[in-house]
């Protein structure tokens, strides 16, 4: 029997910040937090994955959703990947 999918976002506390995985779907029809897939936040972005446009859109969307300034949202890993680590 296959393991059940994980619908909870896996968070890692790091001092006064939190890290979590994000799975990005670029060139979507709208910007949205879609849900959680395998412990990672799934995010749809209208921006293409070209010259950092999708990364900038991701940071802006997460900052709005979390109610924090953009400078407080950092892309830690995954600049050129759909799987990213945010702090």
């Amino acid at each position: 029997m296959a393991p059940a999918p994980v619908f909870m976002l896996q968070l890692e506390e790091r001092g006064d910040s939190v890290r979590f995985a994000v799975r990005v779907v670029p060139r979507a029809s709208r910007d949205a937090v879609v849900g959680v897939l395998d412990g990672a936040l799934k995010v749809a972005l209208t921006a293409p994955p070209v010259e950092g446009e999708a990364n900038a859109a991701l940071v802006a969307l997460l900052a709005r959703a979390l109610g924090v300034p953009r400078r407080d949202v950092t892309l830690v890993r995954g600049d050129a990947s759909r799987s990213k680590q945010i702090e």
Side-chain angles (χ1 to χ4, degrees):
M1 182 176 242
V6 178
F7 294 108
M8 291 180 47
L9 182 60
Q10 296 175 351
L11 302 174
E12 177 186 340
E13 290 185 50
R14 300 183 56 88
D16 60 349
S17 65
V18 176
R19 276 193 187 182
F20 56 94
V22 174
R23 180 74 176 161
V24 174
V25 179
R27 292 192 173 122
S29 60
R30 62 186 169 84
D31 290 340
V33 175
V34 178
V36 177
L37 178 64
D38 294 329
L41 191 66
K42 188 172 180 182
V43 178
L45 298 171
T46 57
V50 179
E51 297 179 11
E53 287 183 42
N55 291 337
L58 174 64
V59 168
L61 176 68
L62 292 176
R64 268 193 321 273
L66 296 170
V68 298
R70 285 186 207 174
R71 68 178 178 272
D72 290 345
V73 178
T74 305
L75 177 62
V76 177
R77 188 170 48 223
D79 281 349
S81 171
R82 290 180 184 218
S83 296
K84 302 180 184 298
Q85 189 87 38
I86 297 291
E87 184 168 295

